[in-house]
Amino acid sequence: GTTGGPALPRYVRVNTLKTSVSEVITYFTRKGYTYLGKARSIEEIGEFAQKRGKRFLQDLHIPDLLVFPSDTDFHKDSLYTAGHLILQDKASCLPALLLSPPVGAHVIDACAAPGNKTSHLAAILQNKGKVFAFDLDTKRLATMSTLLLRAGVTCQELANQDFLTINSSDPKYQKVHHILLDPSCSGSGMPDRMRTLDEEAESKQNERLEALSAFQSRALSHALSFPSVQNVVYSTCSVHQQENEDVVKNILEQHTDFRLVKALPSWPVRGLNTFPGSDCCLRASLSETLTNGFFVALFQRKNKDCKSSN
Ligand code: SAM
């Protein structure tokens, strides 16, 4: 870019409901692209992203993710319009990957629209089982229906409902062991939101962050209240501690039957050191991981009959 900072690579998630990584590699190779293999480091991706030309890599953390130079545009590519490729930032592929429900599982996607993570979950489930997907916003749900149709997702049940009002003891959700919670957030990790604020704007922002943080805590608490739930992923595209570590810390204090699990141990950037175990959480950023700003925490129910690991 013009600022001289790192450029965000063009990440492309292969939709394994419609195709495979090797088929997509063959497709691009036939179109004159050079496949450079699997990336060995984030630095390698960084150097690669700055270059131009028809070349691509496989990501080092996310197997179904391919990496192209920053200036590559796939919106008109026939594989994209046919739903074989999902244009999704690398960080936003982490929540479904970390939840990784087994094939056939029942999963809740609590704040789902426009559905990139739902479609990723469906791919992991191989369209078997069920994703109960909720969203409050009618328009965003309509967009989501189109996206899921194009992606060949068939295991979803969409509902235009407030997740906070979903009855967790409804027998319908009895087999839900996995919940993905990606609630509304400030979006401060998105590239166009990173501005510096004057004092007035800053105090307004603090009020907004408090309101968001209160909602996020309620939603996370509600997710952990589902009687059969074992694994919950909490994620935001915010860089603010109030929406991330503070929410997690607060909820761990309230729900002592849950603990954090170290999310993707090989990931280099961890949660801010604000409570014991905060390094179980992961953070992502343009400068450190060549992604949007992002946060993920992975909760697991403590089982009586199961020894706690370490
Ligand atoms: N997970 C989505 C994806 O990967 O495409 C992005 C979700 S976006 C960060 C947050 C969503 O939460 C918005 O679509 C918003 O309408 C929805 N939302 C906000 N409050 C909600 C609530 N109480 N219940 C359900 N959805 C809610």
Side-chain angles (χ1 to χ4, degrees), residues 106-225:
H106 285 192
V107 183
I108 287 178
D109 190 347
C111 295
N116 277 324
K117 296 181 190 75
T118 314
S119 109
H120 193 190
L121 285 171
I124 292 168
L125 294 175
Q126 298 174 16
N127 257 340
K128 297 179 185 113
K130 188 128 243 147
V131 183
F132 299 101
F134 304 103
D135 206 281
L136 264 184
D137 189 314
T138 319
K139 270 194 189 156
R140 286 170 67 96
L141 267 181
T143 308
M144 176 161 174
S145 297
T146 310
L147 188 146
L148 295 185
L149 185 67
R150 188 174 62 201
V153 175
T154 55
C155 63
Q156 80 278 24
E157 191 176 310
L158 300 193
N160 191 1
Q161 274 179 288
D162 181 345
F163 174 64
L164 296 176
T165 68
I166 301 302
N167 177 7
S168 58
S169 42
D170 189 327
K172 196 174 170 179
Y173 309 120
Q174 205 169 298
K175 292 205 287 180
V176 171
H177 297 168
H178 298 80
I179 299 182
L180 192 154
L181 174 66
D182 183 43
S184 294
C185 71
S186 60
S188 55
M190 304 302 281
D192 56 329
R193 311 276 178 87
M194 294 197 253
R195 313 177 221 102
T196 37
L197 302 175
D198 59 32
E199 252 175 63
E200 196 192 325
E202 203 167 303
S203 102
K204 270 208 187 119
Q205 169 173 272
N206 278 331
E207 268 175 47
R208 186 167 165 251
L209 289 181
E210 267 172 45
L212 283 166
S213 171
F215 164 68
Q216 291 152 351
S217 295
R218 286 178 66 199
L220 184 50
S221 187
H222 190 52
L224 298 185
S225 80

